[in-house]
Amino acid sequence: MASSNRAQFSSRLGFILAAAGSAVGLGNIWGFPTQAASNGGAVFLITYLVMVFILAYPLLVAELTIGRFGASNPIRSLISVAPKHKLLGSAVGIAGMLGVSGILSFYAIVAGWFFGFLIGPLLSAFGFDSAAAWLEGFGIARNLVLMGVFMLLTVLVVRNGVADGIEKWSTRLMPVLFVLFIAMVGYTLLQPGAMEGLKMFLVPDMSHFSPDLMVSAMGQAFFSLSIGVCTMMVYGSYLRKDANLPKTAAQVALLDTGVAFVAGLLILPAMFVAQKNGVQIYSESGALLDGDTLVFSVLPAMFDTMGSAGLIVGVAFFALMVIAALTSSISMLEVPVACISEELDKDRKTVVWWVGGAIALFSSLIIFNFGSMFGTVISVTTEYVQPILGVIMALIAGWIWKRNEVLEELSHGNPELANSTFWKVWPTYVRVVCPILMALVFFWPLFK
Ligand code: PHE
């Protein structure tokens, strides 16, 4: 199964930064704060934290463990834990591969916009105002070009493989991201108006709670931890046997949740700072403007009101977004690349271009049919594909995979595991509790 010359992450820190790099992305810095803002702030935050802890973390351990055991691409790893159910294993692997390609196809479009907002202000600072306006305005050609540039960056990193591509760039970019992030939060919280946003984010108003909010929080938790579409499985397959899986997964989940939390400390206060500076953040009807408008109009408008400091803050913010998006998109592209190059025994460098090209083509289709496809692809992949495949993986790990093999795999890097509380709880938990919890979250809104 495991070939001795298979690629590996070179260090545990490298793995944690790469897996956290996959998890930390537009979902944390854009998705989470804007969802929190439009769902009552603190109530969404609390529900989200509960979802990460009770559902997403146990499934993250399951996915990583299946991957490390299989030490192969996700299709083969799933077959290796369920050898009597080859069809099921390959179907889940292929569905994960298609699901993650769908995610990448819309992700690259959004990441492209952020790229445009990174370059735009720099161009206008040098007097190229019309080029800047083109990059920041909505248009088919602009969307295509920016998506293409972002996909190209993703392909170039993944082409170099695990240690020299993914790990190298994740360990370079993640620390830059942390520093930029902390600086931005510090700066924003000192601006007038920030406290109002802080209050909205931290003081719960339970009247906002609803079953729908639970579904959104669950979807957000799955998206944020990159669960259900084999990214964590493929990263797990490159993880060394001496790493302690429950602990590593906890570190990744904590980093990811920490970044989402800090992003809330940034975006919600920033909205109210913008309002203080005369930018409109509520629509005529009194509802908060939606996610896109918030990030692509309100924030740039806020940066504009800050004078020359605004240029630096704005560039830092959008650079942060592009970095976060890139360390996630490379983990997405790795799934189909690993599956196809290993299953068809083809050279990785060639496969990367073909797969990247095919996904870019699908992205272009979305760009041409934006109104009808963009929202649909997002909702199908993140609200259905991710949770459903996530729970199927839990069922495979809990019911089909031989218990002694699971124990042995989890015990690598953690010899005391058999006597730990984790081992007393986790197997039954993924077997029974996770599927029931998820069914409850899914069906509760139907019985309102
Ligand atoms: N977790 C990433 C984010 O928060 C998105 C992602 C989803 C990455 C699925 C890989 C797989 O932006």
Side-chain angles (χ1 to χ4, degrees):
M1 206 181 305
S3 61
S4 54
N5 57 5
R6 188 177 154 78
Q8 274 193 340
F9 285 105
S10 68
S11 72
R12 245 175 283 172
L13 181 68
F15 172 80
I16 290 175
L17 288 178
S22 166
V24 172
L26 302 182
N28 301 61
I29 313 180
W30 177 54
F32 174 77
T34 51
Q35 285 225 44
S38 38
N39 283 299
V43 182
F44 188 81
L45 168 67
I46 296 168
T47 319
Y48 174 77
L49 292 177
V50 172
M51 288 295 167
V52 169
F53 186 70
I54 66 169
L55 261 178
Y57 169 71
L59 295 187
L60 176 62
V61 177
E63 232 189 287
L64 284 174
T65 314
I66 296 177
R68 194 176 68 173
F69 175 83
S72 183
N73 67 77
I75 301 180
R76 208 131 291 276
S77 295
L78 281 158
I79 294 179
S80 72
V81 299
K84 294 206 190 95
H85 302 81
K86 282 205 170 63
L87 204 62
L88 175 72
S90 10
V92 175
I94 293 172
M97 176 177 105
L98 293 176
V100 81
S101 307
I103 295 180
L104 181 52
S105 70
F106 75 75
Y107 208 81
I109 300 176
V110 181
W113 295 338
F114 282 105
F115 197 65
F117 276 86
L118 167 65
I119 309 290
L122 291 173
L123 286 179
S124 36
F126 288 101
F128 299 104
D129 284 323
S130 53
W134 184 78
L135 281 177
E136 293 176 14
F138 199 87
I140 292 189
R142 167 263 197 178
N143 285 351
L144 284 174
V145 168
L146 290 174
M147 175 277 291
V149 170
F150 185 78
M151 279 300 286
L152 186 69
L153 286 178
T154 307
V155 165
L156 291 177
V157 174
V158 175
R159 195 182 60 141
N160 286 340
V162 179
D164 280 340
I166 294 173
E167 180 176 354
K168 184 156 123 198
W169 282 98
S170 302
T171 39
R172 277 183 188 169
L173 293 176
M174 288 305 281
V176 179
L177 184 137
F178 291 136
V179 172
L180 275 178
F181 209 39
I182 298 299
M184 294 253 348
V185 175
Y187 182 84
T188 311
L189 286 180
L190 292 176
Q191 303 301 306
M195 287 310 134
E196 208 171 322
L198 203 59
K199 203 171 120 212
M200 175 175 179
F201 187 49
L202 297 177
V203 183
D205 169 359
M206 284 325 262
S207 66
H208 283 100
F209 186 80
S210 73
D212 288 330
L213 183 142
M214 284 187 41
V215 181
S216 310
M218 178 178 80
Q220 180 60 35
F222 273 65
F223 185 72
S224 195
L225 280 179
S226 315
I227 285 176
V229 281
C230 303
T231 38
M232 288 301 177
M233 199 178 285
V234 81
Y235 273 19
S237 75
Y238 304 128
L239 180 58
R240 297 194 321 207
K241 289 283 184 200
D242 60 2
N244 175 337
L245 282 168
K247 186 168 146 204
T248 310
Q251 286 163 332
V252 171
L254 278 176
L255 269 175
D256 182 65
T257 311
V259 172
F261 179 74
V262 178
L265 293 180
L266 173 66
I267 304 279
L268 279 88
M271 282 163 25
F272 289 89
V273 173
Q275 195 187 31
K276 264 258 161 9
N277 290 348
V279 181
Q280 187 194 355
I281 63 170
Y282 288 100
S283 67
E284 305 273 294
S285 64
L288 204 63
L289 295 175
D290 65 15
D292 297 3
T293 330
L294 276 180
V295 174
F296 294 112
S297 316
V298 173
L299 289 179
M302 175 181 93
F303 301 142
D304 279 347
T305 60
M306 291 177 176
S308 51
L311 177 67
I312 302 172
V313 181
V315 167
F317 176 76
F318 287 108
L320 183 85
M321 294 308 258
V322 172
I323 293 174
L326 187 63
T327 54
S328 297
S329 64
I330 55 182
S331 74
M332 299 180 203
L333 186 59
E334 180 60 21
V335 176
V337 167
C339 288
I340 295 173
S341 61
E342 289 181 17
E343 289 304 299
L344 304 182
D345 200 16
K346 290 268 181 294
D347 174 43
R348 167 184 197 96
K349 290 203 156 71
T350 324
V351 172
V352 172
W353 286 106
W354 282 105
V355 176
I359 297 178
L361 218 60
F362 188 67
S363 281
S364 314
L365 200 68
I366 302 182
I367 291 175
F368 281 111
N369 302 286
F370 197 81
S372 58
M373 284 183 75
F374 184 67
T376 315
V377 175
I378 296 186
S379 126
V380 170
T381 50
T382 63
E383 286 168 28
Y384 297 96
V385 175
Q386 282 197 286
I388 292 173
L389 288 181
V391 89
I392 296 181
M393 287 172 191
L395 292 171
I396 292 180
W399 292 92
I400 301 182
W401 193 3
K402 288 206 194 80
R403 191 66 68 92
N404 59 338
E405 281 182 1
V406 185
L407 176 62
E408 195 188 322
E409 187 55 47
L410 278 167
S411 300
H412 291 303
N414 188 359
E416 310 296 312
L417 183 97
N419 303 316
S420 66
T421 328
F422 181 86
W423 182 249
K424 288 198 185 85
V425 177
W426 184 81
T428 322
Y429 194 86
V430 280
R431 201 177 148 99
V432 188
V433 185
C434 282
I436 295 182
L437 278 178
M438 191 173 297
L440 278 178
V441 175
F442 255 126
F443 294 117
W444 187 6
L446 302 182
F447 296 105
K448 264 192 302 187

